[in-house]
Amino acid sequence: LLKSCQKPAAVVTSTDQPAQSAPAQAAPAAASDSLFKLTFNNGKATVTATVATEAEKAELLKQLEATYVKDKFTADIKVDAAVKPASWLSKIADLLKLASVPGAELNIKGADISLAGSLADPKLGLVDKLTGLFGSGVNVVAAAFNADAAIAGAAGKFDEAIKALTASG
């Protein structure tokens, strides 16, 4: 039954030339961006990173050890040859000093830097500091949670719901 559903493969034979198959060429793998993530809570830094070489990994560890006491940080650093070189590595000492604030979250992916937690506070002015440190080729974004705006929005929705309920009887 299954054989009747399949079409026979076309067979081409030639006596003039031997059959040759063209070698399959693999497409080059696209290099992904290097990654760096730091959280700082309870006086301890937690770092996760992916860098291109063992030398970059060694440099990152050296900077972490120079900034933090050995038992005040944990690091999970992977080396992946398919990753672009870490352009942020030359500025890591300055980044670590700026990010040593309780509740800090710092993420870097290639040329994109995002600040969250306490680092996103506009009063710290870190967006401007990091833009100045890295130059215009870097995109710095601060994602701050605005509690006042969230409360006001929720209160407004509550008021609208109550008005709708009372209007309908």
Side-chain angles (χ1 to χ4, degrees):
L1 181 65
L2 289 175
K3 284 184 178 181
S4 66
C5 292
Q6 296 176 347
K7 293 182 181 179
V11 177
V12 177
T13 58
S14 172
T15 56
D16 296 339
Q17 296 178 354
Q20 294 180 2
S21 62
Q25 294 184 4
S32 57
D33 290 324
S34 59
L35 304 172
F36 178 82
K37 179 179 182 178
L38 177 132
T39 56
F40 192 81
N41 289 308
N42 301 320
K44 188 173 184 178
T46 303
V47 173
T48 305
T50 304
V51 294
T53 65
E54 288 291 335
E56 287 182 340
K57 178 180 178 177
E59 178 62 24
L60 181 53
L61 282 171
K62 177 182 163 189
Q63 293 298 328
L64 287 167
E65 290 171 355
T67 304
Y68 304 113
V69 178
K70 195 161 189 94
D71 65 338
K72 293 295 180 181
F73 78 90
T74 58
D76 178 16
I77 305 169
K78 294 177 177 57
V79 175
D80 184 350
V83 170
K84 296 175 188 173
S87 59
W88 44 264
L89 191 57
S90 63
K91 310 279 196 263
I92 197 67
D94 294 324
L95 283 172
L96 294 174
K97 290 174 188 168
L98 291 172
S100 296
V101 178
E105 293 180 31
L106 172 71
N107 292 296
I108 304 173
K109 183 178 181 184
D112 295 325
I113 300 174
S114 68
L115 306 171
S118 59
L119 291 181
D121 186 349
K123 294 175 191 169
L124 295 176
L126 289 180
V127 171
D128 293 334
K129 287 179 185 176
L130 291 176
T131 302
L133 181 66
F134 283 94
S136 61
V138 173
N139 180 32
V140 182
V141 177
F145 175 73
N146 186 335
D148 293 335
I151 292 169
K157 288 180 182 178
F158 177 79
D159 289 343
E160 290 173 12
I162 291 295
K163 287 177 185 174
L165 285 173
T166 56
S168 67

